[in-house]
Amino acid sequence: MAVAAFVCGLLGILVFNIFFGPCALFFGAVALHRGTIRRLRACLGLLFGTVDLVLPAVLSAHNGTISWHL
């Protein structure tokens, strides 16, 4: 679960952040709740999942449109 959270978080930064962000948050929370030995990856999954959801909001607000591009 921790590795799935980490991978979903990384993928979400690049593509489909609205889908992969919540998945990373869910997998990271479940992994930490179950007491995984890969705590760092689970925490990074939570961090990247949060970034996945905040990044489009910040970039959209900066551009003034719903869509965003770099």
Side-chain angles (χ1 to χ4, degrees), residues 37-52:
I37 59 173
R38 294 182 172 103
R39 293 185 57 82
L40 179 64
R41 287 190 185 142
C43 289
L44 285 174
L46 289 172
L47 176 72
F48 287 143
T50 304
V51 169
D52 290 346

Side-chain angles (χ1 to χ4, degrees), residues 1 4-5 7 10 12-13 20 26 28-29 35-36 44-46 50 54 58 63 66-67 70:
M1 288 289 207
V7 170
L10 282 177
I13 290 176
F20 285 121
F26 173 75
T36 183
L44 285 174
L46 289 172
T50 304
V54 171
V58 169
N63 290 337
I66 295 174
S67 64
L70 296 175

Side-chain angles (χ1 to χ4, degrees), residues 20-36:
F20 285 121
C23 289
L25 292 173
F26 173 75
F27 289 140
V30 169
L32 288 175
H33 180 71
R34 288 185 179 179
T36 183

